[in-house]
Amino acid sequence: MAETIFALSSAPGKAGVAVLRLSGPRAFAATERCMGALPEPRRLVRRDLRDAGGELIDEAMVVLFPAPRSFTGEDVAEWHLHGSPAVVRAALARLSALDGLQAAGPGDFTRRALENDRLDLTQVEGLGDLLDAETEAQRRQAVRVLSGAMTQKVEQWRGQLLRAAALIEATIDFADEEVPEDVTDEVLQLMADVRESLEAEARGSRVAERIRDGFEVAIVGAPNAGKSTLLNMLAGRDAAITSEVAGTTRDVIEVRMDLAGLPVTLLDTAGLRETKDPVESIGVARARNRAAQADLRVWLKSTEEEGPLVELQADDIVVRSKVDLYGGEGVSGLTGAGIDALVDQIVDVLSNRAKLVQTATRARHLEAIRRASATLEAAVILVGRGPEAADLAAEEIRAAIRALEALVGRIDVEDVLGEIFASFCVGK
């Protein structure tokens, strides 16, 4: 029998309400012992929480969720207490003293939901992303994954591939009169449909990963182009040192922001120029490297003749700086002129990329998708060889199915659980 676990599921510290969660076979018995008569399932009622000697700890609200219709698939009790640290400590001490109960570790409740088929692995990852979400785009993406969007796609792909494998295996196992004369066209079409969908997921996975981790926008330009001043204006604080002395910025300075719901990390880089200063040379090299790796580059130029000193991509932004001194159209990090238009331009570029997003949000997802696509490519070649390679083609299709099953955690799940649950809070 599984142990009954308990933990504070709301944020620690002083609050209006603190929520304690219990899950396991003794969750209801422990609640009855601490609070008296149990309420009807799924009905929030008031009860007195008392210590072992009968002294009142708090006036609480309690709700019960019987198995299997609970978050974990087990009996779950939630205690809603006044959110003072003293009340929470006393309640946790009361539970710790009961036999058969143990404090939960990070992700233990969600792990039980996975083990009891209340969530699959991608939904667990979506829940983790939702807990970490800082922007609207991150929230929407996490909710989509948590709601089972990836699971639904995997089920569709799996069904198509099972059909393809069954058709091929039928030609091996049964007499010709019991199966269609030629199943090749249908098998190839099924695999082509799945591969096209997998490739779309792969293309959108980088965007999804950037929404989860944040887009990087590098501000680049020559020394004294106003990069640090622009960064400070965008950040609304003095994140970078500004000076009229060329080469002041020696390292990459990062500022994380929410731009129209998109997570963005702005990078202030060293001024790009040839220099004999060994320390500045390191900064310039780092600036070039980070600019090349960034999702978007904003090139600041202080004169009309000045050209970019880094390779720019098609939708990178070139804008004139220090218009407060030189006039014309562009931006001024000092006065704020043109800042709104620049932000709108950055948001437009990144929003257009975000439209490509699918449901594969992690490197693990992309690896499984690529593995499935590669095995299907091999299967197509084998199908083209005719009946003598049918058994090999069927095995390649089965391998693609296994890759997709690993994606949602039906197989090979233990390797990734430790990494996933390491980021979970104790009460989840």
Side-chain angles (χ1 to χ4, degrees):
M1 179 182 294
E3 290 287 334
T4 297
I5 56 175
F6 65 89
L8 174 68
S9 286
S10 52
K14 187 176 180 181
V17 176
V19 179
L20 269 63
R21 176 182 286 172
L22 297 78
S23 179
R26 304 189 184 203
F28 293 173
T31 300
E32 184 175 23
R33 185 166 180 180
C34 297
M35 295 193 185
L38 296 176
E40 296 178 8
R42 293 177 175 77
R43 183 180 178 186
L44 188 68
V45 300
R46 180 193 173 283
R47 289 289 186 268
D48 288 338
L49 172 60
R50 298 185 179 276
D51 64 18
E55 183 177 348
L56 182 66
I57 295 176
D58 190 24
E59 296 178 355
M61 302 293 289
V62 62
V63 59
L64 306 180
F65 302 94
R69 295 176 57 201
S70 70
F71 173 72
T72 63
E74 303 172 330
D75 287 342
V76 171
E78 285 187 0
W79 299 2
H80 296 226
L81 313 172
H82 290 98
S84 78
V87 168
V88 171
R89 282 196 300 269
L92 292 175
R94 178 75 169 106
L95 289 171
S96 297
L98 299 179
D99 292 336
L101 271 68
Q102 66 180 28
D108 276 355
F109 291 94
T110 307
R111 181 186 288 268
R112 294 192 177 197
L114 177 67
E115 292 170 348
N116 293 322
D117 295 324
R118 300 294 292 174
L119 298 173
D120 66 33
L121 189 56
T122 57
Q123 290 176 298
V124 168
E125 291 168 324
L127 177 57
D129 290 342
L130 184 60
L131 295 174
D132 292 335
E134 297 176 345
T135 71
E136 180 62 13
Q138 290 173 328
R139 182 198 64 79
R140 288 197 303 266
Q141 177 169 285
V143 168
R144 186 168 63 249
V145 178
L146 175 59
S147 66
M150 175 59 78
T151 308
Q152 294 168 12
K153 288 187 177 183
V154 169
E155 283 301 316
Q156 179 181 351
W157 296 331
R158 184 173 179 273
Q160 290 173 288
L161 295 181
L162 284 174
R163 167 70 178 168
L167 287 172
I168 292 179
E169 290 167 351
T171 64
I172 301 171
D173 297 335
F174 299 99
D176 290 344
E177 63 269 22
E178 297 182 29
V179 295
E181 291 184 4
D182 188 359
V183 299
T184 302
D185 289 344
E186 183 177 355
V187 169
L188 290 176
Q189 186 61 54
L190 286 167
M191 290 193 293
D193 291 344
V194 173
R195 286 190 68 198
E196 181 179 354
S197 186
L198 289 173
E199 288 167 4
E201 279 291 332
R203 288 192 298 271
S205 66
R206 173 169 170 77
V207 178
E209 190 172 356
R210 300 316 282 170
I211 289 177
R212 185 167 61 85
D213 296 335
F215 291 98
E216 287 194 348
V217 176
I219 303 173
V220 293
N224 277 341
K227 300 181 296 299
S228 297
T229 305
L230 175 61
L231 178 76
N232 290 341
M233 175 62 73
L234 291 169
R237 60 185 176 87
D238 291 336
I241 298 173
T242 60
S243 169
E244 294 181 359
V245 178
T248 298
T249 301
R250 299 297 182 93
D251 206 348
V252 177
I253 298 172
E254 303 183 7
V255 174
R256 192 170 177 88
M257 299 181 66
D258 180 339
L259 294 184
L262 294 171
V264 175
T265 299
L266 294 175
L267 308 176
D268 177 25
T269 61
L272 301 179
R273 67 173 179 175
E274 297 297 327
T275 177
K276 295 182 179 179
D277 184 320
V279 177
E280 187 182 356
S281 295
I282 294 173
V284 171
R286 288 182 179 179
R288 292 183 182 278
N289 183 55
R290 289 299 296 275
Q293 294 177 353
D295 300 288
L296 179 66
R297 284 144 293 278
V298 176
W299 172 260
L300 290 187
K301 60 178 185 176
S302 55
T303 67
E304 291 293 347
E305 296 78 20
E306 191 175 53
L309 300 176
V310 293
E311 184 177 352
L312 299 181
Q313 305 299 319
D315 51 1
D316 285 344
I317 298 171
V318 178
V319 62
R320 191 178 183 192
S321 65
K322 297 187 176 183
V323 295
D324 56 299
L325 295 179
Y326 305 120
E329 294 186 358
V331 297
S332 169
L334 189 62
T335 67
I339 294 297
D340 289 344
L342 176 60
V343 169
D344 289 343
Q345 196 173 356
I346 293 172
V347 169
D348 284 344
V349 172
L350 298 182
S351 295
N352 286 332
R353 295 186 188 181
K355 292 176 183 177
L356 301 174
V357 70
Q358 298 286 332
T359 51
T361 60
R362 295 173 180 257
R364 184 186 71 81
H365 302 169
L366 182 58
E367 180 185 351
I369 287 169
R370 285 176 172 167
R371 191 163 65 247
S373 183
T375 56
L376 288 180
E377 184 178 4
V380 169
I381 295 173
L382 291 168
V383 168
R385 293 180 182 174
E388 65 274 9
D391 54 343
L392 297 176
E395 180 52 36
E396 291 292 347
I397 295 174
R398 294 286 181 186
I401 293 172
R402 289 194 294 273
L404 297 176
E405 288 177 336
L407 178 58
V408 294
R410 290 180 183 162
I411 59 174
D412 299 333
V413 65
E414 287 298 328
D415 320 5
V416 296
L417 288 185
E419 178 182 349
I420 293 172
F421 288 130
S423 64
F424 271 59
C425 58
V426 169
K428 201 64 181 177

